[in-house]
Amino acid sequence: MTTGKINVSVENIFPLIKKFLYSDHEIFLRELVSNGTDATLKLKHLISIGEAKVEYGNPVIEIKVDKEGKKIHIIDQGLGMTADEVEKYINQVAFSGAEEFLDKYKDSAKDSGIIGHFGLGFYSAFMVAEKVEIITKSYKDEPAAHWTCDGSPEFTLEPADKTSRGTEIILHVAEDSLDFLEDSKISGLLNKYNKFMPIPIKFGTRTETLPKPEDAPEDYINETVETDNIINNPNPAWTKQPTELSDEDYKNFYRELYPMQFEDPLFNIHLNVDYPFNLTGILYFPKLGSDMQIQKDKIQLYQNQVYVTDNVEGIVPEFLTMLKGVIDSPDIPLNVSRSGLQADGAVKKISNYITRKVADKLKTLFNENRADFEAKWNDIKIVLEYGMLSEDKFYEKAGAFVLYPTVDNTYFTLEELKEKLKENQTDKDGKLVVLYAGNKDEQHSYIETAKAKGYEVLLLDSPIISHLIQKIEGDNSDLTFVRVDSDHVDNLIKKDENTISKLSDEEKETLKTSLESYIPKAYSVQLEAMDSQAAPFIITQPEFMRRMKEMSQSGGGGMFGMGNMPEMYNLVVNTNSDLASSILNTEDKTHQEHLVKQALDLAKLSQNLLKGEALTAFVKRSFEMIK
């Protein structure tokens, strides 16, 4: 038997590993199972190149829990180690850079992929174990070895009587970690971290009912059999070529990823690149609508089929974090505990690739089946609109597939929209005016008035639309967006023709003075000569002020404090209406006030602005009028 001290000048590195290296103790199982997987895959490679003259067989990684003995066993059938290799890889290599690692960690709270260089993954075992044993037999014709360490720098290394190839790691679980001896806990961790590892992982057995034979009698009782409980899928969909997968395969994999998601995704994007970096994955568009809610089920990041995190900020452009799915890349630089990303130029390249790939796929879907794309538009638009705002590269490509729906459910790209509107909706200054509504019901009367003029009205109702149309206007100087309720229809798209007012300038001044004595200060009174059949009172919201307020409330907008400003409205009074003449000509001030307030309340009612006490008073007053 050999005894010795682990070659490390820091007297006891284990408490430091426990404290600094791994913030989350549960990842010990992920690391040890990953090591077993690596050992198995390395053996497969050595066999394939003729370096290992052994049978590969059907290796599994087995996890056993001995609750009474307070032990966890992780057993693989990989290449194993000789005593010399244990000495080298466990005692020396793992700590050859320990001081350097600790210095780096303390200075910068970051590290540079040490897990791959120093084999520190194995030492995560000491986060939950007071003693660790390794019993290992190499694929080479050499004796098995037994290594033991109790969490101090002392270790023992002696021959073992193991005859089968591979490595068994035995964790003697510490008193503060006994919850890891529960089957449900281990099962949960394996499902979280190792669900798609490339080698089958066995944890216990399960009972399977055999199918009933065709010639079985009616009273036949189905036989049952105990089989290995394999908890993972070693060949998940993202490791296959898109040509191997059907739509149903993609949907089944989505359900495997998110068992509690009961709605199918709208479509998927299969990522597959091997230069200038390796990356595979599948992204799914779930149904989102206009709601920018926080996603419960996020995109999962894997490294060689080992789960790392669902915090993919940096790798996936922010606008795509509303999607679901998997990304797997060995080239994403992780910190030492595989728990987070490091800043790296490769990460930005990966993010740019994903942006481009998503844009190309959306363009293909649009071109191949536009009707289907239009049908899904309301469920995906929030992602795409956010992408246009936040990623210039996506914005450049978006013109080919981003849609602008009308209130009548017809869809246009921006270029189609320009062509469609240019004849009827170009104003006297040569500017194309795009009319839109934010809510079909609340702005119904304004929409109908605009449509009566032959105008198209878009329905743009996402919470970030004010930001987006501001950006589009900035890139299209010949185009402006105006909401239908921001002015009287004749002022929305100013033409050369003017309607003559029935009232003289002096009469208009008298009327305005009378109106302002009854109208609340929140309303700015405007007198307009309109068609005599048009509504006598119309409430509008100035486009600029309303848009700035909305942008300020949803973040940005460039004007400090706009989100807290009170609502401002214009009251447009039609000077050619009979009501305007009645208000002007009545000498009974009480009656005049009654006419103004009733007309204002009707205008407010049409804008859904009449509420509470004012609505109660209006209803009561209206009933009095029809007694």
Side-chain angles (χ1 to χ4, degrees), residues 75-88:
I75 306 158
D76 71 60
Q77 294 150 28
L79 42 71
M81 288 181 281
T82 64
D84 286 346
E85 286 168 339
V86 172
E87 175 71 33
K88 179 181 176 184

Side-chain angles (χ1 to χ4, degrees), residues 326-337:
V326 165
I327 288 171
D328 189 332
S329 175
D331 295 333
I332 293 172
L334 303 172
N335 64 19
V336 69
S337 61

Side-chain angles (χ1 to χ4, degrees), residues 92-144:
Q92 292 171 21
V93 174
F95 287 101
S96 61
E99 279 189 291
E100 179 194 350
F101 157 65
L102 289 171
D103 287 343
K104 276 188 181 180
Y105 191 93
K106 286 170 181 172
D107 289 346
S108 64
K110 286 183 179 173
D111 57 84
S112 50
I114 285 173
I115 200 158
H117 299 298
F118 303 121
L120 285 172
F122 165 72
Y123 281 95
S124 65
F126 285 97
M127 292 190 303
V128 298
E130 58 190 11
K131 183 169 88 171
V132 178
E133 297 179 68
I134 302 173
I135 303 169
T136 183
K137 172 88 169 69
S138 172
Y139 71 95
K140 301 168 187 170
D141 189 19
E142 292 199 32

Side-chain angles (χ1 to χ4, degrees), residues 253-306:
F253 180 59
Y254 183 76
R255 294 181 197 115
E256 197 176 344
L257 273 177
Y258 308 110
M260 300 310 290
Q261 280 286 336
F262 302 112
E263 262 191 318
D264 283 339
L266 298 167
F267 50 81
N268 65 270
I269 295 171
H270 199 131
L271 305 168
N272 197 338
V273 65
D274 52 21
Y275 182 82
F277 46 79
N278 282 295
L279 181 139
T280 53
I282 301 170
L283 296 180
Y284 291 94
F285 270 77
K287 281 192 174 186
L288 283 176
S290 297
D291 193 359
M292 293 179 75
Q293 79 273 27
I294 299 298
Q295 293 297 308
K296 179 172 66 73
D297 296 316
K298 299 177 184 175
I299 295 171
Q300 299 174 10
L301 175 64
Y302 287 75
Q303 195 175 59
N304 293 323
Q305 293 176 238
V306 181

